[in-house]
């Protein structure tokens, strides 16, 4: 099997470090791993396959002889360095939202639209974490009958806001237990013992940028240009793994047993649906692994063509790092 020179930009962040971990776990054929970050992270050593790899400074000259670049940086960094990556002849698999809606950039979930990856022009975009988890959960339904609409509510873990999210949650819990006041920094409000219905920036239509990703990215990934999605994104006091409530409307009325059987067979899904015995997806069971757990599957009472379900998945892994590496695996 051919081996690849792989670089990770943003290697010291939460997603970058998870990419390193997943590359090793999945035995991706890495010839050389180059870890890149800002100047302040230079010299940090990160373990990989029994070695200690020293982080180097990210520059426009960092990509010589690199085959694949995994991006785990904010939008401005991705936009700045993408031309240099492409010019060097490397494939850039980017986790930021910079290129997701670019018509010339494939937006890929390997379980759903792997063929799109091969239409790249040097860049492939990794979708939003909640979008990945949701679409993996409902892809089997779309195969039974085309989905026309989705009503979604996300319950997103604090780690979705970066490494500082869980730290702030735990610090606030400790402070409140000691009778102290809390000063939110990462989130707009206190997150401990609270939920915040605000992720992303508010748009003119009353939705947030995070909420609109479900519709805009879903249309592109599933090749459903008329798909309609209404979504509410909520930050919850959970460390890791996003949960999503979904009601999908299909062209044809589906039998619930057929839906459950299809989801149970779907790649990337684990059917977790025995509510009478208190079996259903939960964040604590879906953290630090790569499958999307799906349960609470039932007929919508509002729409006879509607199917309601609940799913959970690790947004740092399947929602970010693992999905990016699965895209890279398509080229093995």
């Amino acid at each position: 099997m051919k081996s690849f020179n792989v670089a990770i930009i943003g290697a010291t962040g939460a997603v970058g470090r998870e990419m390193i971990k997943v590359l090793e776990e999945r035995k991706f054929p890495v010839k050389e791993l180059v870890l890149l970050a800002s100047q302040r992270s230079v010299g940090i050593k990160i373990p990989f396959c029994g070695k200690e790899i020293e982080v180097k400074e990210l520059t426009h000259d960092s990509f010589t002889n690199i085959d694949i670049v995994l991006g785990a940086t904010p939008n401005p960094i991705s936009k700045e360095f993408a031309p240099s990556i492409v010019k060097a002849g490397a494939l850039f698999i980017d986790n930021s939202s910079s290129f997701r809606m670019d018509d010339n950039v494939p937006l890929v979930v390997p379980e759903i639209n792997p063929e799109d990856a091969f239409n790249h022009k040097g860049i492939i975009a990794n979708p939003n974490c909640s979008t990945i988890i949701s679409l993996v959960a409902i892809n089997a339904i779309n195969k039974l009958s085309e989905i026309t609409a989705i009503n979604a509510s996300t319950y997103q873990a604090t780690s979705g806001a970066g490494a500082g999210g869980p730290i702030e949650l735990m610090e606030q819990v400790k402070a409140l237990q000691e009778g102290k006041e809390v000063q939110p920094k990462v989130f707009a409000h206190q997150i401990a013992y609270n939920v915040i219905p605000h992720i992303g920036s508010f748009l003119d239509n009353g939705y947030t940028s995070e909420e609109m990703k479900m519709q805009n990215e879903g249309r592109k990934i599933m090749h459903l240009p008329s798909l309609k999605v209404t979504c509410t994104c909520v930050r919850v006091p959970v460390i890791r793994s996003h949960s999503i409530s979904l009601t999908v409307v299909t062209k044809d009325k589906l039998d619930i047993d057929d839906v459950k059987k299809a989801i149970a067979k779907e790649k990337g899904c684990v059917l977790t649906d025995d509510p009478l015995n208190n079996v259903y997806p939960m964040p604590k069971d879906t953290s630090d692994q790569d499958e999307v757990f799906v349960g609470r599957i039932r007929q919508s009472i509002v729409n006879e063509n509607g199917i309601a379900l609940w799913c959970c998945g690790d947004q740092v892994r399947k929602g970010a790092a693992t999905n990016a590496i699965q895209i890279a695996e398509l080229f093995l």
Side-chain angles (χ1 to χ4, degrees):
M1 181 184 291
K2 181 183 177 182
S3 59
F4 297 82
N5 293 329
V6 179
I8 299 176
I9 62 173
T12 57
V15 173
R17 287 178 180 270
E18 201 70 26
M19 286 174 169
I20 298 167
K21 178 181 175 182
V22 174
L23 281 171
E24 182 169 350
E25 282 183 10
R26 296 177 73 91
K27 295 180 172 59
F28 190 88
V30 177
K31 184 177 181 181
E32 180 185 3
L33 181 62
V34 178
L35 304 182
L36 302 168
S38 64
Q39 200 279 330
R40 68 177 179 273
S41 296
V42 170
I44 292 174
K45 293 182 178 180
I46 301 176
F48 176 72
C49 291
K51 302 177 182 178
E52 294 282 327
I53 300 180
E54 191 169 300
V55 175
K56 300 178 181 179
E57 183 176 4
L58 171 62
T59 72
H60 288 280
D61 298 320
S62 296
F63 311 108
T64 304
N65 297 323
I66 298 296
D67 300 303
I68 297 170
V69 177
L70 302 173
T73 62
N75 287 10
I77 303 298
S78 292
K79 288 179 180 178
E80 178 184 350
F81 286 93
S84 298
I85 295 169
V86 174
K87 185 178 180 181
L91 171 61
F92 184 27
I93 302 173
D94 181 34
N95 194 60
S96 82
S97 61
S98 298
F99 305 102
R100 289 175 185 164
M101 301 315 299
D102 187 323
D103 290 337
N104 294 313
V105 176
L107 183 65
V108 176
V109 179
E111 293 90 342
I112 300 173
N113 62 330
E115 65 285 347
D116 289 357
F118 298 97
N119 297 320
H120 75 83
K121 296 178 175 63
I123 303 173
I124 300 175
N126 215 30
N128 175 258
C129 51
S130 294
T131 301
I132 292 173
I133 293 165
S134 298
L135 298 191
V136 169
I138 65 175
N139 191 47
I141 298 175
N142 190 57
K143 291 177 180 179
L144 295 175
S145 178
E146 183 179 307
I147 294 172
T148 60
I150 302 171
N151 192 335
S153 292
T154 72
Y155 303 79
Q156 297 183 216
T158 53
S159 53
I167 293 172
E168 181 156 304
L169 169 60
M170 290 183 286
E171 287 178 346
Q172 288 183 0
V173 169
K174 185 174 184 292
L176 292 168
Q177 287 174 340
E178 295 172 352
K180 300 176 182 177
E181 291 187 7
V182 299
Q183 296 295 329
K185 297 174 185 176
V186 176
F187 305 109
H189 301 277
Q190 173 187 315
I191 187 61
Y193 311 117
N194 194 25
V195 298
I196 305 172
H198 175 192
I199 303 175
S201 55
F202 281 100
L203 308 174
D204 290 342
N205 63 359
Y207 289 82
T208 68
S209 54
E210 182 82 0
E211 290 162 353
M212 291 307 300
K213 289 173 184 176
M214 188 81 74
Q215 174 173 283
N216 298 337
E217 296 181 16
R219 288 176 171 179
K220 186 173 180 179
I221 295 163
M222 301 187 85
H223 300 285
L224 297 174
S226 299
L227 177 68
K228 295 181 179 180
V229 181
T230 183
C231 182
T232 301
C233 291
V234 183
R235 189 72 69 188
V236 297
V238 169
I239 298 294
R240 187 155 169 166
S241 194
H242 289 352
S243 305
I244 302 141
S245 171
L246 295 155
T247 298
V248 301
V249 178
T250 55
K251 280 189 174 181
D252 305 308
K253 181 177 172 60
L254 298 176
D255 179 80
I256 291 296
D257 287 337
D258 290 341
V259 170
K260 290 182 180 181
K261 289 176 184 176
I263 289 174
K265 295 177 182 177
E266 186 69 9
K267 188 177 180 180
C269 286
V270 176
L271 182 67
T272 314
D273 192 72
D274 187 7
L276 295 181
N277 289 306
N278 301 326
V279 175
Y280 27 69
M282 294 184 292
K284 76 176 188 65
D285 299 324
T286 53
S287 296
D288 201 26
Q289 56 82 54
D290 295 323
E291 307 295 333
V292 176
F293 287 32
V294 188
R296 295 295 318 279
I297 302 168
R298 58 208 188 274
Q299 182 74 49
S300 168
I301 296 173
V302 175
N303 190 316
E304 67 175 10
N305 285 14
I307 303 290
L309 59 84
W310 172 263
C311 64
C312 294
D314 188 318
Q315 87 288 351
V316 183
R317 288 185 63 105
K318 181 53 188 168
T322 301
N323 197 77
I325 290 159
Q326 285 176 309
I327 292 171
E329 288 172 346
L330 296 173
F331 296 88
L332 297 182

